[in-house]
Amino acid sequence: MLSNKNIRGKQSLIKRILSFFEEASKQSESSNSHDILLASLALLIEVAKSDHEVDHIEQQEILNLAIKTFGIASDEQETLISQAEEIAGKSTSLYEYTSVINENYSEKQKYQLIHSMWRVAFADGRIDRYEEHLIRKIADLIYVPHVQFIEAKHHAGELNK
């Protein structure tokens, strides 16, 4: 038969174990959201780089979107953008980003991401064929219907006027 002391000891052990797993889960969620954010920012950077000219205005648009769309605090911007640029520089395929997006984004969030890409592309006042090609490719890879792809383009273009 178990004594009260043994029962309390086992309950304490169970509480510590549960606490450990809760903390690990919180860290995993935080890490996962960081990865999702980096994937999104890296895709925006890829759009800016696709025409082989990264204009200052495109960089500024990415920073604006980081704050407004992704909710990044202004003190975290530079760090996250630098990390995303590093990831984009080392990337060998879009799958690294699009797989993260497909696993974690809703249809609405995917549309918003495509819309954000169009905003970056329109930032310098012109759409380069390489930018459009890349956004179309990403839209296909994250299963955004063509109608929404066009809608996002037109809406972003209207905002740019």
Side-chain angles (χ1 to χ4, degrees):
M1 183 163 243
L2 294 174
S3 68
N4 282 343
K5 185 178 177 183
N6 285 341
I7 291 173
R8 280 190 299 260
K10 287 185 179 188
Q11 287 175 340
S12 175
L13 177 62
I14 290 171
K15 285 181 183 177
R16 286 192 309 236
I17 292 171
L18 288 174
S19 175
F20 170 78
F21 283 113
E22 286 174 5
E23 186 62 32
S25 175
K26 287 178 186 174
Q27 288 176 353
S28 175
E29 286 174 16
S30 174
S31 175
N32 191 33
S33 65
H34 183 77
D35 292 346
I36 297 166
L37 185 57
L38 284 176
S40 299
L41 290 173
L43 285 170
L44 295 179
I45 291 166
E46 289 291 341
V47 171
K49 291 183 350 182
S50 66
D51 64 357
H52 307 291
E53 294 178 36
V54 180
D55 296 308
H56 174 70
I57 196 162
E58 289 174 326
Q59 291 174 331
Q60 189 59 49
E61 185 65 27
I62 291 171
L63 289 174
N64 293 341
L65 289 166
I67 295 169
K68 293 177 187 171
T69 305
F70 301 112
I72 297 172
S74 56
D75 59 334
E76 297 177 306
Q77 283 180 24
E78 289 185 34
T79 304
L80 287 170
I81 297 291
S82 294
Q83 289 175 339
E85 286 174 341
E86 185 177 329
I87 289 168
K90 294 178 181 178
S91 176
T92 57
S93 78
L94 293 173
Y95 179 78
E96 297 170 43
Y97 317 125
T98 58
S99 62
V100 172
I101 299 302
N102 281 327
E103 290 173 16
N104 296 285
Y105 270 23
S106 67
E107 288 180 30
K108 185 177 179 179
Q109 290 169 313
K110 290 177 181 181
Y111 171 84
Q112 184 61 46
L113 180 60
I114 295 299
H115 183 266
S116 295
M117 289 180 198
W118 279 118
R119 297 225 10 222
V120 170
F122 275 113
D124 63 1
R126 62 180 176 79
I127 298 293
D128 185 84
R129 64 186 169 130
Y130 298 114
E131 291 170 327
E132 183 162 0
H133 174 76
L134 181 63
I135 298 170
R136 182 181 304 273
K137 186 174 184 177
I138 293 167
D140 288 343
L141 291 170
I142 63 173
Y143 310 111
V144 172
H146 186 70
V147 170
Q148 290 182 342
F149 166 83
I150 297 298
E151 181 182 306
K153 179 180 180 180
H154 288 295
H155 186 256
E158 289 296 317
L159 291 175
N160 193 50
K161 289 182 180 180

